[in-house]
């Protein structure tokens, strides 16, 4: 990774040039209609007067030539991945024409995307396809498996000399600890990076889970049911051993017997509809959904790999998310206990970002149906940012930099939550974590430029 000292600077001519962030002296002679900050690997996306996109290095050298295709960059494992994308109308064969039954004409074209994805450093093209609009898409969502391996689009790659080499295709789901699942004919196998043979094979999806208590077999007939079936079921049962592995990491076997439980706990288990594995612990999460509250929520118990049931497991540092990223555990009552809330409050989804430790963004609706959001510290039991804002944007979790919007359609201001002080003296129509902000000028035009989100310093004339 490079120490990047260049930033895009907006001139009076409404063009961007790259300057030294401290001295503001130009470091690249060219000027552009639009420009991005440099990646940690030293590349940026620029746009010329013809609205053509290109990628340049820190010296201004073009590494991806100007074209009408929009360019996006993402850095994983020290490599810069790019995506080129352009929308266009494609003429279709007659059997694919869209015939309007109201007689208003025949549409002979369909909207397509031309997409190219590759590696900037080696110019390796990983994908080049034309895809129908809204039917399919590809993203720069590369995942680091370890220092020399990345995962993308169902494929595991080894990185050698800035090029990606396929190791495994058709991966259904990537797991932690360098493991993954592959599926074939409704059966799944688990593999690891260091193993040539499957760690587990013959795994089949199930919505039924059985566990023995004393002489009784308790069968849960509808566990982890979802409206739409996921590609990988949340329960995977081994055909040979009958061992059951549980979402999200399928890393340990659910116990076959309950060795310790009270009668009320057994009644709870009979009603259980959600079972998740709590990663990096010996526990599984058991949930019963309550339908008779003003706000629907789960009640919880826990069972360990030895079959012991417990009401509480202490302060394990983990989060349980569903498949779309919503926080399942800990729930609102654990994070924000009832004694700290107003009785008329209702709650929306709780947001958590990696690096926020014990802080959570909590959406609240009061008795007047006014919706606000605040930042709650579950360890200290205090509002780091009181729920008085329409929106709170997380710009830097480690340094606790936030952008606050007081009311709907209002302007954003910067806050250093560590010092509890505002950053800079300006307010903006929008702001992102890279420091791009927007304002309305005196002519009513939206103007974009960059600032330093840590000091408020503006990079414009």
């Amino acid at each position: 990774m490079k120490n990047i000292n260049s930033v895009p600077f907006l001139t009076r001519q409404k063009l961007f040039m790259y300057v030294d962030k401290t001295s503001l002296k130009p470091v690249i002679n060219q000027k552009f209609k639009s420009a991005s900050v440099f990646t940690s690997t030293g590349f940026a996306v620029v746009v010329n007067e013809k609205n053509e996109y290109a990628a340049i290095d820190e010296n201004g050298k073009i590494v991806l030539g100007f074209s009408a295709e929009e360019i996006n960059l993402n850095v994983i494992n020290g490599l810069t991945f790019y995506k080129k994308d352009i929308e266009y109308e494609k003429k279709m064969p007659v059997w694919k024409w869209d015939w309007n039954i109201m007689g208003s004409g025949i549409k002979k074209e369909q909207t397509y995307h031309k997409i190219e994805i590759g590696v900037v450093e080696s110019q390796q093209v990983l994908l080049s396809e034309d895809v129908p609009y809204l039917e399919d898409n590809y993203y720069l969502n590369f995942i680091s498996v370890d220092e020399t391996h990345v995962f993308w689009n169902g494929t595991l790659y080894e990185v050698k000399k800035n090029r990606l080499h396929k190791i495994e295709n058709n991966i259904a789901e990537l797991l932690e600890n360098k493991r993954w699942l592959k599926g074939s004919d409704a059966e799944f196998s688990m593999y690891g990076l260091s193993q040539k043979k499957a760690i587990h094979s013959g795994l089949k999806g199930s919505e039924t889970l059985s566990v023995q208590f004393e002489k009784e077999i308790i069968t849960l007939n509808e566990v982890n049911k979802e409206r739409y079936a996921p590609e990988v079921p949340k329960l995977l049962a081994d055909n040979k051993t009958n061992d059951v592995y549980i979402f999200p990491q399928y890393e340990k076997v659910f116990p076959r017997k309950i060795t310790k439980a009270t009668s009320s706990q057994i009644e709870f288990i009979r009603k259980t509809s959600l079972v998740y594995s709590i990663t990096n612990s010996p526990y599984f999460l058991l949930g019963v959904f309550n339908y008779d509250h003003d706000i629907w929520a789960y009640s919880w118990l826990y069972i360990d790999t030895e079959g012991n049931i417990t009401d509480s497991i202490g302060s394990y540092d983990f989060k349980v998310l569903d498949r779309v990223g919503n926080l399942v555990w800990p729930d609102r009552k654990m994070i924000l206990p009832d004694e700290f809330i107003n009785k008329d409050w209702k709650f929306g989804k709780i947001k958590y970002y990696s690096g926020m430790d014990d802080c959570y963004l909590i959406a609240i609706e009061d008795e007047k149906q006014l919706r606000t959001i605040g930042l709650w510290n579950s360890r200290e039991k205090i509002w780091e940012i009181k729920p008085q804002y329409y929106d709170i944007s997380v710009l830097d979790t480690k340094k606790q930099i936030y952008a606050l919007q007081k009311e709907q359609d209002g302007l954003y201001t910067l806050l250093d939550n560590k010092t509890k002080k505002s950053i800079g003296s300006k307010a903006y129509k929008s702001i992102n974590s890279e420091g791009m902000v927007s304002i309305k000028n005196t002519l009513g035009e939206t103007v974009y430029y960059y600032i330093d989100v840590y000091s408020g310093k503006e990079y414009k004339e």
Side-chain angles (χ1 to χ4, degrees):
M1 299 302 177
K2 299 183 178 182
N3 184 21
I4 307 298
N5 294 312
S6 302
V7 295
F9 184 89
L10 183 63
T11 67
R12 288 190 179 92
Q13 293 76 33
K14 297 182 181 179
L15 295 175
F16 286 93
M17 61 187 299
Y18 285 95
V19 302
D20 182 274
K21 65 172 62 175
T22 303
S23 68
L24 302 185
K25 292 182 179 180
V27 294
I28 296 175
N29 293 326
Q30 301 102 306
K31 294 181 180 179
F32 307 98
K33 183 177 179 180
S34 180
S36 76
V37 297
F38 280 100
T39 65
S40 56
T41 48
F43 300 101
V45 176
V46 294
V47 179
N48 64 16
E49 292 290 343
K50 299 178 182 178
N51 289 322
E52 295 174 326
Y53 292 78
I56 62 171
D57 65 15
E58 286 183 281
N59 299 315
K61 179 183 176 182
I62 295 175
V63 293
L64 296 174
F66 280 105
S67 74
E69 298 168 302
E70 182 178 350
I71 297 175
N72 288 285
L73 304 177
N74 188 26
V75 175
I76 299 293
N77 277 20
L79 278 185
T80 316
F81 297 95
Y82 72 87
K83 176 183 176 182
K84 292 182 177 181
D85 186 359
I86 188 170
E87 183 179 310
Y88 69 98
E89 296 298 314
K90 183 177 181 179
K91 291 183 177 180
M92 305 303 295
V94 65
W95 59 87
K96 289 189 176 182
W97 288 0
D98 186 6
W99 300 78
N100 192 306
I101 61 173
M102 302 303 292
S104 60
I106 304 170
K107 187 178 179 182
K108 301 179 181 180
E109 297 179 334
Q110 286 188 17
T111 304
Y112 268 66
H113 277 254
K114 179 178 175 60
I115 296 175
E116 180 180 300
I117 291 177
V119 183
V120 173
E121 287 85 350
S122 61
Q123 299 289 299
Q124 179 186 11
V125 176
L126 300 173
L127 176 143
S128 181
E129 285 191 12
D130 291 338
V131 296
Y133 184 68
L134 294 181
E135 287 188 21
D136 202 353
N137 207 342
Y138 296 94
Y139 304 93
L140 291 179
N141 51 348
F142 289 78
I143 298 173
S144 174
V145 177
D146 62 16
E147 292 181 355
T148 57
H149 296 86
V150 296
F151 172 79
W152 176 71
N153 195 31
T155 301
L156 181 69
Y157 296 90
E158 184 177 12
V159 181
K160 291 181 179 180
K161 297 180 179 180
N162 293 338
R163 294 184 64 87
L164 270 58
H165 303 269
K166 291 182 181 180
I167 292 180
E168 195 75 52
N169 289 317
N170 303 317
I171 294 174
E173 189 155 331
L174 180 70
L175 305 174
E176 291 180 355
N177 300 323
K178 305 178 187 180
R179 297 171 300 127
W180 59 88
L181 291 168
K182 295 189 70 173
S184 177
D185 297 327
E187 286 196 358
F188 294 85
S189 297
M190 182 185 297
Y191 294 86
L193 190 60
S194 58
Q195 290 95 348
K196 292 184 178 180
K197 295 183 178 180
I199 301 172
H200 304 293
S201 59
L203 303 177
K204 283 198 170 184
S206 174
E207 290 180 349
T208 299
L209 186 63
S210 296
V211 61
Q212 182 177 346
F213 179 63
E214 295 178 345
K215 296 182 179 180
E216 177 189 4
I217 301 296
I218 301 172
T219 300
L220 309 177
N221 290 314
E222 294 189 346
V223 180
N224 296 350
K225 285 186 72 78
E226 295 190 357
R227 183 175 181 181
Y228 302 106
E231 183 178 358
V232 178
K234 288 187 174 180
L235 301 181
L236 290 176
D238 189 311
N239 285 335
K240 296 179 181 178
T241 64
N242 292 323
D243 290 338
V244 179
Y245 299 88
I246 313 290
F247 174 88
Q249 292 299 320
Y250 309 94
E251 83 288 7
K252 57 182 179 284
V253 177
F254 191 82
R256 298 186 183 186
K257 294 183 179 180
I258 296 172
T259 55
K260 180 183 177 183
T262 65
S263 58
S264 62
Q265 289 172 338
I266 293 299
E267 287 305 310
F268 182 101
I269 290 170
R270 289 194 177 99
K271 296 182 289 185
T272 294
S273 60
L274 182 147
V275 181
Y276 279 8
S277 174
I278 300 175
T279 310
N280 301 320
S281 86
Y283 293 101
F284 297 88
L285 184 66
L286 306 175
V288 171
F289 200 69
N290 299 314
Y291 296 93
D292 55 350
H293 290 72
D294 289 338
I295 298 176
W296 294 357
Y298 279 97
S299 298
W300 306 108
L301 280 183
Y302 311 89
I303 184 170
D304 66 16
T305 52
E306 300 299 319
N308 299 303
I309 303 291
T310 179
D311 296 324
S312 174
I313 58 174
S315 56
Y316 269 87
D317 182 21
F318 63 88
K319 306 291 184 292
V320 177
L321 307 178
D322 63 19
R323 288 193 185 273
V324 296
N326 292 320
L327 190 67
V328 175
W329 196 101
D331 61 21
R332 194 276 303 165
K333 289 187 176 182
M334 299 174 189
I335 296 168
L336 178 57
D338 288 343
E339 60 263 33
F340 296 99
I341 72 171
N342 295 343
K343 65 177 182 178
D344 296 319
W345 280 359
K346 295 181 179 180
F347 298 91
K349 296 293 185 182
I350 296 175
K351 293 182 180 180
Y352 175 84
Y353 297 92
S354 178
M356 286 176 63
D357 297 327
D358 298 298
C359 290
Y360 301 83
L361 289 171
I362 301 182
I364 292 172
E365 182 182 287
D366 65 14
E367 67 278 8
K368 298 179 181 179
Q369 295 186 323
L370 177 64
R371 296 183 179 183
T372 57
I373 189 169
L375 182 69
W376 174 257
N377 187 319
S378 63
R379 184 182 69 254
E380 301 295 333
K381 301 293 190 293
I382 59 170
W383 287 104
E384 294 279 349
I385 302 174
K386 292 183 178 180
Q388 300 172 347
Y389 295 91
Y390 178 79
D391 186 33
I392 298 176
S393 293
V394 182
L395 303 184
D396 188 322
T397 56
K398 185 177 181 180
K399 295 186 178 180
Q400 297 186 36
I401 306 298
Y402 296 88
L404 311 180
Q405 186 186 37
K406 188 67 176 176
E407 55 195 23
Q408 187 175 7
D409 300 323
L411 299 179
Y412 285 87
T413 57
L414 283 167
L415 173 71
D416 182 334
N417 191 52
K418 283 188 176 181
T419 63
K420 302 298 180 184
K421 292 181 179 179
S422 297
I423 301 172
S425 57
K426 295 284 187 71
Y428 305 96
K429 183 181 176 183
S430 67
I431 182 169
N432 69 20
S433 58
E434 291 186 335
M436 176 180 272
V437 299
S438 67
I439 61 169
K440 285 273 189 176
N441 64 15
T442 56
L443 299 176
E445 302 168 329
T446 300
V447 178
Y448 293 89
Y449 59 94
Y450 289 87
I451 69 169
D452 183 339
V453 298
Y454 306 104
S455 68
K457 182 178 181 179
E458 296 187 318
Y459 299 114
K460 73 179 184 70
E461 286 184 317

